[in-house]
Amino acid sequence: MGNGFIVVFGKLIKSNCSCVVVNVYAACSLSDKLVLWRELSDLKKASSDVIWCFCGDFNAIRKNGERKGVSMSDSNTSEMRDFNMFIEANLLFEIPLVGKPFTWFNSNGKAKSRLDRVLVTEEWMQTWPMCKQYVQNREVSDHCAIVVKYVDKDWGPKPFRTINAWFMERGFDVMVKDKWSSYVIQANAFTVLKEKMMRLRVI
């Protein structure tokens, strides 16, 4: 734990890969945010070869369009620049957003900003390429909750495809025949055909 963040370390059971989720709650002042971003950067540098996710209320925007109904000042410009520098320096990516473009609303709803987000490393994107952040309806808080989901739709059996140029390669047909013969599967004819085709696809 630190001033403005809580870190959870864990491991993915299937791959035994280390994973870190950092829940962020940034202060309002830019000076405090700079301290926070520096501490988070040092934390990430100290633990390499892990999957990282930074999520929560960063209390900062990345571009002008992420704030409405609030006058922009020089401090806002500095904040955007420093926040984007933090993201770039740590090689973070923002996963696709689904839902409302803003996550914070004042009491009358006229002022709104995109203060909450989910930032991840490339390793996270490789592990969960279909990951998205979904903005929920605002309930008790003046912030909207964000839910991260990984949606991997199963569209059914994938067709078996081949490339005609492969058949022009010397020894290709022999290789396929040898592989086909090497698969020993005890089942009915239909299952044997299906299993052999599946194994042949990954050669």
Side-chain angles (χ1 to χ4, degrees):
M1 295 179 63
N3 188 16
F5 65 91
I6 298 175
V7 184
V8 179
F9 291 85
K11 278 201 172 182
L12 302 176
I13 296 176
K14 290 184 178 180
S15 61
N16 199 37
C17 180
S18 297
C19 184
V20 182
V21 177
V22 184
N23 184 230
V24 178
Y25 183 73
C28 292
S29 73
L30 178 57
S31 58
D32 289 338
K33 277 181 271 201
L34 289 174
V35 172
L36 172 62
W37 296 335
R38 186 164 55 249
E39 290 180 353
L40 294 179
S41 297
D42 292 341
L43 180 69
K44 183 175 179 293
K45 290 175 184 175
S47 301
S48 57
D49 300 327
V50 296
I51 297 174
W52 285 87
C53 173
F54 295 85
C55 57
D57 179 8
F58 290 88
N59 225 325
I61 61 173
R62 300 191 64 187
K63 54 188 178 182
N64 290 331
E66 292 183 346
R67 181 166 282 158
K68 298 290 185 182
V70 180
S71 59
M72 299 294 288
S73 63
D74 292 339
S75 60
N76 294 132
T77 303
S78 299
E79 178 185 273
M80 286 189 293
R81 183 195 64 231
D82 293 328
F83 186 36
N84 282 315
M85 286 175 61
F86 159 75
I87 294 172
E88 293 169 9
N90 289 285
L91 304 177
L92 300 176
F93 300 89
E94 190 159 357
I95 59 179
L97 180 73
V98 179
K100 303 178 183 69
F102 304 101
T103 62
W104 172 86
F105 299 82
N106 71 348
S107 57
N108 60 21
K110 293 182 179 179
K112 45 196 172 183
S113 300
R114 172 85 189 284
L115 303 180
D116 311 85
R117 64 188 74 235
V118 180
L119 304 170
V120 300
T121 55
E122 184 179 356
E123 291 79 10
W124 178 288
M125 298 295 290
Q126 291 173 348
T127 305
W128 297 289
M130 303 300 292
C131 196
K132 291 182 175 63
Q133 50 181 322
Y134 295 80
V135 180
Q136 307 299 294
N137 292 326
R138 187 162 56 100
E139 301 292 345
V140 179
S141 172
D142 53 357
H143 288 258
C144 299
I146 293 179
V147 176
V148 177
K149 294 181 182 180
Y150 176 69
V151 181
D152 187 11
K153 291 187 177 181
D154 184 1
W155 300 103
K158 297 177 178 61
F160 184 90
R161 293 188 177 94
T162 186
I163 299 175
N164 291 337
W166 289 345
F167 293 95
M168 300 172 63
E169 289 290 326
R170 182 177 300 175
F172 174 75
D173 56 340
V174 175
M175 183 272 293
V176 172
K177 289 178 183 177
D178 290 344
K179 285 292 184 181
W180 188 271
S181 302
S182 69
Y183 301 144
V184 179
I185 303 169
Q186 300 297 328
N188 60 59
F190 177 78
T191 302
V192 170
L193 176 63
K194 182 189 74 171
E195 290 296 323
K196 286 191 173 186
M197 294 290 281
M198 289 177 62
R199 295 185 188 185
L200 201 60
R201 285 180 57 188
V202 299
I203 296 178

